[in-house]
Amino acid sequence: MCGIIGIASSKLVAQNIIHSLKKLEYRGYDSAGIATIVDNEIHEKKCTGRVDNLEKLLFKNPSKGSLGIGHVRWATHGIPSQLNAHPHSSDEVSVVHNGIIENSTLLKKNLEEKGYKFKSQTDTEVITFLLTDFLKSYDLVDAINKTLKALNGSFALGILFKKYSNIVVGARRGSPLAVGYGPEENYLGSDSYALKSMTNKITYLDDGDVCILTNNKIEFYNSENKKINKKILTLSEDKQFTDKGDYKDFMSKEINEQNITAKTCVKEYVDQLRKDINLYNFPINPKDIEKIVLIGCGTAYHSCITAKYWFEELTNIPIEIDIASEFRYRKINFNNKNLYVFVSQSGETADTYAALDLCKKNNVKTCSIINVVESSIARSSDFVLPIHAGPEIGVASTKAFIGQMLVLFILAIKISEIRKEINKTDYENKIDDLQKLPDLIKDTINYCQDNTPIIAKDFIKAKGSMFLGRGLSFPIALEGALKLKELSYLHAEGYPAGEMKHGPLALIEEGLPVVILAPKDRYFEKTISNMQEVIARGGKVILITDEDNKIISENVRFTLKIAKTNEYLSPFLMTIPLQLLAYHVAALKNCDIDKPRNLAKSVTVE
C-alpha cells in the first residue's frame, strides 16, 4: 500500500516527484524518499513522516537530476524510520517497491553469505542487492529478469541504475503500476491519479510486464521477455473532485458530495423517459443464474451484506457473501452458472483481485463494481459497473460506499425485472424511488449536520461503543462501527440488535454509548424493544430513525432524524449520520481526518 513515482525527463524532476508523492499519500504516509541520478551517481534523500518533511529537506539540500524515483511508505516490513524508508540503494542500483516479498528472509541470508550488508529491516533491500549482484554477471535485461524470477510475492517496482543513467525501469506482479506519456518526459506511477497533473495518456502494466523509460521512448516486455505493444488510454478530467475547495478536509467534502454521487450514478443507469434501467451485455443471462456470490473487503464487504437483503427480496436467486481475503483460501465449488460479483473502491484491492483471478482461472462469470474504470479488477472482469463517484481522497470511504450500494441495488432491480420476478408497476416505482434518492440524501445531510458535533462529545471518554440494527440496518451498523474505529481510534462494534441477548448485552454498562438504527420498517418494534433492553442497563442511547413518535424517544439521550423514505432506501440515509458522527468524534480528538494512522486508501498487499 505504498506509492511509487518515477520520471525520465530532459529537465529537473525533483519538484514533479514531490508533487506526485503528495497525491500518493493516501497510499501511505509514514515515510518518504527520492533518488535521482546526478553525474552518473545515485543521490538518495529520505525521511520519516509526510512528504512535506521530504520537501523541506529538499529545500535545504535540493536534488538535481533529470531522472528520478520517489516513494511514500505504508510499513509492512520494519518500523517507520529513515533507514526503512524507500528508496533502498546500493552503489549501483536504487529501488522503490510496493508489495511484499514473501521469500525475502531466505534471499537475505543467501546475499549476506555473499558479503552484502543490509541496513534496513525491509524486504525491499533484498531486491536492491539481488539486482546489484546479477549486474556483475549479466546485462541489464537479463539481470532484471533473473531478479524478478527469484522473487516470490507481490510487487510494483521503480528502479534506477548508476550504469544506465538515462532510464527508469518499472516492473509489476500483483501490485498495480501505470506508465504515463509526456512531451520530452515519461512517467511511472502506482496509479493514474498521481500522474494526472502531468499527463492524461496512460498505459497499465499487466502481471509480469517490465517497462523501460527514457525521456522520449518507452519499451514494454512481457513475462517471457518478449517485446510487446501496450494500449494507451486517455483519462477523463476530474479536477473538481481533487480539490478540497472551501472544505477543511476531503472527508467532509466527500460526505457532502454524496447526493451528487447518487445523482450522477442514477443518471448513468436510469432512463427517465422509458422508466427503465440501462444494463446491457451481462456476462451471463440473468434467467440462467443459479447463484450470485458477492465478494469484497472492509466497507465494500458491508455493501455486499446490504445487497444480499435486496437480492433476496427482489429475486429468487440464492445469495452468498464472502470476505475476499478468505475466499481464495477456501475450497470453492465453482459453477459456470453462478455470477461472481467483486466490489472495490480502487479496483486494486489485493485480496479482491486475487479472488477475481481465482475465478478467472476457473472460467466462471465475473462482474466488478468499482470506482476506477482503468483499474486491474475492472480490466480483468467480464462485466464492469462503475459507481461514478469520482476520485475519493479521504482514506475512510464515504461516497464510494453510497455508490457501491446504489449500483448493487440497481443491479438487483434489473436482474429481478429480466427474470420477471418483479411486476411492471413495482419496477417503475423502484425507478421513481431511485430518482428521489439524491434529494433525500441531501436533506439527511442537512438534518444531521448541526446535531452530530454535540452527540460526538459523548464518545470521547467512553471505553467503547456499540452500533445495533436489524435487517438492512445491520450492515450499516457494521459500517458505522468501522468508521468510528478508522477515524477516531476508539473501539466500536456493530451487531444485529436481536443478538444482544446472546452475549453482547454483557458489555452494556452505565454511560456506554449505543447507537440504535431504527427506521420505520418491518423490524421497527423489535428494534425498539432491543433499545429498551440497553436503556434498562444504563446504556447511553443515540437513536437514528425516521419515525416522529415522541414516545419512543423517552430515556433516549439523543435522537437523530433522517428523511422519510421506504425500507429499501433506508441504508443510504442511515449511513450519513454515522459518517458525520465518526468525523466529529475524530475532529474533537484532533485526529488526522483524511489520513488515519496505520491505514491506506488502496490496499494493494494481502
Side-chain angles (χ1 to χ4, degrees):
M1 286 155 18
C2 305
I4 290 171
I5 185 72
I7 303 178
S9 182
S10 57
K11 57 191 179 187
L12 298 181
V13 296
Q15 188 173 348
N16 277 344
I17 288 176
I18 290 293
H19 182 68
S20 296
L21 289 180
K22 286 182 176 181
K23 287 179 170 288
L24 283 169
E25 274 196 301
Y26 70 91
R27 286 177 169 268
Y29 32 87
D30 60 47
S31 58
I34 183 173
T36 56
I37 300 286
V38 183
D39 298 328
N40 294 321
E41 294 289 340
I42 295 169
H43 288 244
E44 177 192 279
K45 293 184 179 73
K46 50 191 186 179
C47 62
T48 56
R50 300 291 173 79
V51 177
D52 284 345
N53 294 346
L54 181 62
E55 189 173 31
K56 290 172 185 174
L57 192 65
L58 294 182
F59 182 78
K60 293 177 183 176
N61 185 14
S63 280
K64 298 179 180 179
S66 58
L67 206 72
I69 52 176
H71 190 268
V72 288
R73 183 171 183 255
W74 183 85
T76 55
H77 284 68
I79 62 171
S81 69
Q82 185 175 8
L83 279 177
N84 290 331
H86 297 216
H88 290 285
S89 306
S90 67
D91 290 338
E92 300 295 327
V93 176
S94 186
V95 175
V96 290
H97 167 220
N98 175 26
I100 293 177
I101 307 303
E102 294 171 355
N103 61 336
S104 62
T105 302
L106 178 61
L107 292 171
K108 182 176 181 179
K109 183 179 178 182
N110 293 338
L111 287 162
E112 284 176 329
E113 288 173 357
K114 290 185 176 185
Y116 289 96
K117 305 290 185 185
F118 285 80
K119 300 174 185 175
S120 76
Q121 302 165 313
T122 70
D123 52 347
T124 306
E125 201 172 6
V126 164
I127 306 169
T128 302
F129 288 135
L130 269 178
L131 271 169
T132 301
D133 197 57
F134 282 129
L135 281 168
K136 293 175 180 177
S137 306
Y138 300 95
D139 65 16
L140 175 70
V141 174
D142 285 340
I144 292 169
N145 284 327
K146 287 190 174 294
T147 299
L148 299 184
K149 285 177 182 176
L151 304 176
N152 295 337
S154 66
F155 54 78
L157 305 176
I159 312 167
L160 294 183
F161 298 88
K162 173 182 174 179
K163 187 176 177 182
Y164 304 93
S165 58
N166 67 328
I167 65 168
V168 175
V169 170
R172 166 201 171 153
R173 186 200 298 155
S175 293
L177 201 61
V179 169
Y181 303 77
E184 291 300 310
E185 59 183 14
N186 292 306
Y187 317 99
L188 197 65
S190 294
D191 57 34
S192 60
Y193 176 58
L195 304 180
K196 272 189 174 182
S197 62
M198 297 179 287
T199 181
N200 68 341
K201 302 295 183 185
I202 301 287
T203 289
Y204 289 92
L205 299 190
D206 294 314
D207 268 3
D209 286 352
V210 173
C211 62
I212 299 176
L213 284 66
T214 68
N215 69 312
N216 54 21
K217 186 170 69 172
I218 302 176
E219 293 179 341
F220 297 97
Y221 298 86
N222 64 16
S223 57
E224 298 172 355
N225 199 27
K226 292 181 180 177
K227 199 169 182 179
I228 55 174
N229 295 317
K230 302 285 290 184
K231 185 178 180 181
I232 299 174
L233 304 172
T234 302
L235 301 175
S236 59
E237 285 287 323
D238 46 32
K239 287 182 181 176
Q240 71 274 23
F241 293 112
T242 57
D243 189 306
K244 282 187 286 196
D246 294 330
Y247 291 96
K248 186 177 179 181
D249 40 59
F250 278 107
M251 187 176 178
S252 56
K253 176 177 184 284
E254 287 157 5
I255 289 172
N256 282 278
E257 281 177 351
Q258 289 179 113
N259 62 307
I260 299 170
T261 296
K263 192 171 186 176
T264 304
C265 193
V266 170
K267 187 177 178 182
E268 288 290 334
Y269 288 108
V270 173
D271 186 325
Q272 297 183 36
L273 293 176
R274 294 191 302 116
K275 286 203 172 182
D276 195 12
I277 291 170
N278 298 320
L279 289 182
Y280 308 107
N281 303 314
F282 278 95
I284 181 173
N285 187 335
K287 294 179 181 178
D288 297 332
I289 295 174
E290 292 184 359
K291 182 167 71 174
I292 294 175
V293 183
L294 304 168
I295 302 160
C297 297
T299 288
Y301 175 67
H302 296 159
S303 72
C304 292
I305 304 174
T306 311
K308 177 179 169 70
Y309 287 90
W310 286 324
F311 276 105
E312 289 177 343
E313 285 290 324
L314 295 169
T315 77
N316 294 317
I317 303 171
I319 306 299
E320 186 177 305
I321 49 176
D322 225 317
I323 296 172
S325 57
E326 295 292 323
F327 179 85
R328 64 185 294 216
Y329 297 110
R330 293 195 296 107
K331 182 181 178 182
I332 307 291
N333 295 315
F334 288 101
N335 183 339
N336 60 14
K337 289 194 175 180
N338 293 350
L339 178 62
Y340 296 81
V341 181
F342 297 85
V343 186
S344 167
Q345 185 279 136
S346 67
E348 302 292 353
T349 311
D351 293 312
T352 309
Y353 180 76
L356 170 62
D357 188 54
L358 182 62
C359 287
K360 297 300 291 180
K361 288 174 180 173
N362 283 274
N363 299 312
V364 292
K365 300 303 181 184
T366 59
C367 168
S368 62
I369 293 173
I370 42 78
N371 197 28
V372 184
V373 293
E374 308 94 355
S375 63
S376 300
I377 289 173
R379 299 197 310 274
S380 298
S381 301
D382 296 320
F383 188 49
V384 180
L385 294 173
I387 67 174
H388 299 290
E392 186 179 65
I393 311 303
V395 167
S397 183
T398 51
K399 64 177 182 174
F401 179 57
I402 291 288
Q404 289 165 356
M405 288 197 296
L406 186 49
V407 171
L408 284 162
F409 185 43
I410 287 168
L411 181 62
I413 297 168
K414 186 60 180 178
I415 287 178
S416 176
E417 189 264 342
I418 292 171
R419 290 168 61 93
K420 307 298 183 188
E421 291 170 344
I422 188 173
N423 62 49
K424 190 173 188 297
T425 301
D426 198 11
Y427 178 64
E428 291 184 353
N429 286 340
K430 294 281 186 297
I431 290 171
D432 286 339
D433 289 341
L434 284 171
Q435 291 171 324
K436 295 172 186 173
L437 181 60
D439 287 339
L440 292 173
I441 290 173
K442 188 174 183 179
D443 289 344
T444 302
I445 292 170
N446 292 336
Y447 288 161
C448 299
Q449 199 82 261
D450 296 332
N451 296 320
T452 44
I454 301 167
I455 299 170
K457 293 178 182 179
D458 279 354
F459 287 76
I460 298 302
K461 294 184 180 178
K463 69 179 183 182
S465 60
M466 299 177 74
F467 292 70
L468 307 179
R470 284 177 175 262
L472 281 163
S473 295
F474 162 54
I476 306 307
L478 294 177
E479 176 63 11
L482 178 62
K483 280 293 156 286
L484 190 65
K485 284 182 275 196
E486 286 178 322
L487 290 170
S488 70
Y489 322 139
L490 295 174
H491 183 69
E493 292 296 335
Y495 291 105
E499 282 293 292
M500 289 299 290
K501 292 184 288 291
H502 302 284
L505 203 58
L507 297 172
I508 303 297
E509 60 183 38
E510 191 71 34
L512 183 80
V514 180
V515 178
I516 305 286
L517 305 182
K520 193 67 188 293
D521 56 17
R522 73 188 82 173
Y523 307 100
F524 179 72
E525 284 76 16
K526 292 187 181 297
T527 304
I528 296 303
S529 294
N530 298 136
M531 181 183 79
Q532 295 302 336
E533 293 164 0
V534 171
I535 291 171
R537 287 156 179 84
K540 192 185 291 183
V541 167
I542 294 94
L543 174 63
I544 301 176
T545 185
D546 56 2
E547 171 59 38
D548 290 323
N549 189 338
K550 302 293 183 186
I551 296 173
I552 64 166
S553 296
E554 290 178 1
N555 299 315
V556 170
R557 182 162 174 82
F558 291 108
T559 300
L560 268 176
K561 287 291 302 295
I562 63 168
K564 280 190 174 293
T565 185
N566 62 53
E567 185 173 338
Y568 288 103
L569 298 187
S570 67
F572 299 100
L573 307 188
M574 285 282 161
T575 297
I576 291 160
L578 302 186
Q579 294 171 346
L580 289 166
L581 179 63
Y583 176 90
H584 286 294
V585 173
L588 285 173
K589 291 188 68 192
N590 294 316
C591 298
D592 191 328
I593 300 288
D594 286 336
K595 297 182 178 72
R597 72 184 183 202
N598 303 334
L599 300 179
K601 186 68 175 174
S602 185
V603 186
T604 56
V605 295
E606 267 197 277

